[in-house]
Amino acid sequence: MMVPDEPEPQPSLDPAARLRLVAEQQARTQAALAPDERLVFGAWGVAWSVGFGAIWLATSGRLPLPAWSAFTLFALLLVGAGVLTAVHAVRAGRGVAGSSARTGAMYGWGWVLGFAMLPAVVLGAQRLGAPPEAAALLWPAVSALVVGLLYVAGAVAWDDPVQFAVGAWIMVTTGAGCLLGLPALYLVMCLAGGGGFLAAAAWFAVRRRRAGALRPAAQA
């Protein structure tokens, strides 16, 4: 009677190799779940650059375009960027529980409440006698400050220096634009505000390209 050969024992990984394997698996999982910063920042950059640019051209008389159509275009661009961001946020939140999920939910509600209360601030100023020019300045200024502060809050929650830089830049450019008045504020938000988002998208694109180039060398 022949005895079947016993399978050769597989070499066990040393503790350091196991830790590297776990770290690599965690990195791949986070990369699969994390939102694509290039798309998110790029979408907001396009929305701000094109939207505020159209408003500036219409309100400054440099383009025969009704102001209402420029504002409508801007609103549609913002909705598109918001939907894209929401889709990526839902994707990133799949399978996440505990404090991370709670932090994400509170952060998301911060965006909702911030923009839901924006009309109350502007309408309150109008009830106190603010002229139409002041209301026209408050709408983009307050909304941009909300965006900047929420980006800073997100940077604190997730320890993201790039997100903090974008939020701080948005707040600084908003303050500078308000000092210049209208319609210069729209041009500042188009070039500096939208440009800040696009610069962040470009930075993340370069970082991903470098990471992709280094990964094969690390695995070799």
Side-chain angles (χ1 to χ4, degrees), residues 41 44 48 107 111 141-156 160-176 189 192-201 204:
F41 283 111
W44 285 103
W48 279 40
Y107 183 67
W111 280 88
V142 176
S143 62
L145 286 177
V146 170
V147 170
L149 287 170
L150 285 170
Y151 267 106
V152 169
V156 173
D160 188 350
V162 177
Q163 194 171 173
F164 179 87
V166 172
W169 176 253
I170 293 299
M171 290 188 287
V172 170
T173 56
T174 301
M189 302 308 293
F197 283 119
L198 294 176
F204 278 110

Side-chain angles (χ1 to χ4, degrees), residues 61-173:
R62 288 174 171 78
L63 188 68
L65 183 70
W68 66 265
S69 61
F71 280 99
T72 301
L73 172 63
F74 186 37
L76 292 175
L77 290 171
L78 291 180
V79 170
V83 170
L84 179 63
T85 303
V87 169
H88 277 70
V90 170
R91 176 189 173 190
R94 289 175 181 172
V96 178
S99 60
S100 297
R102 191 162 53 249
T103 299
M106 290 189 293
Y107 183 67
W109 278 109
W111 280 88
V112 173
L113 292 174
F115 281 97
M117 295 301 104
L118 173 62
V121 174
V122 179
L123 293 176
Q126 289 179 318
R127 291 183 60 184
L128 292 176
E133 293 80 7
L137 185 141
L138 283 174
W139 279 108
V142 176
S143 62
L145 286 177
V146 170
V147 170
L149 287 170
L150 285 170
Y151 267 106
V152 169
V156 173
W158 289 286
D159 190 20
D160 188 350
V162 177
Q163 194 171 173
F164 179 87
V166 172
W169 176 253
I170 293 299
M171 290 188 287
V172 170
T173 56

Side-chain angles (χ1 to χ4, degrees), residues 23-46:
E24 291 175 0
Q25 291 176 343
Q26 289 178 343
R28 285 193 293 267
T29 302
Q30 291 175 355
L33 294 176
D36 191 337
E37 301 93 344
R38 299 168 300 176
L39 289 177
V40 174
F41 283 111
W44 285 103
V46 170

Side-chain angles (χ1 to χ4, degrees), residues 7-12:
E8 296 182 0
Q10 298 295 327
S12 60

Side-chain angles (χ1 to χ4, degrees), residues 174-190:
T174 301
C178 288
L179 292 176
L180 295 175
L182 295 176
L185 171 63
Y186 302 132
L187 182 60
V188 171
M189 302 308 293
C190 165

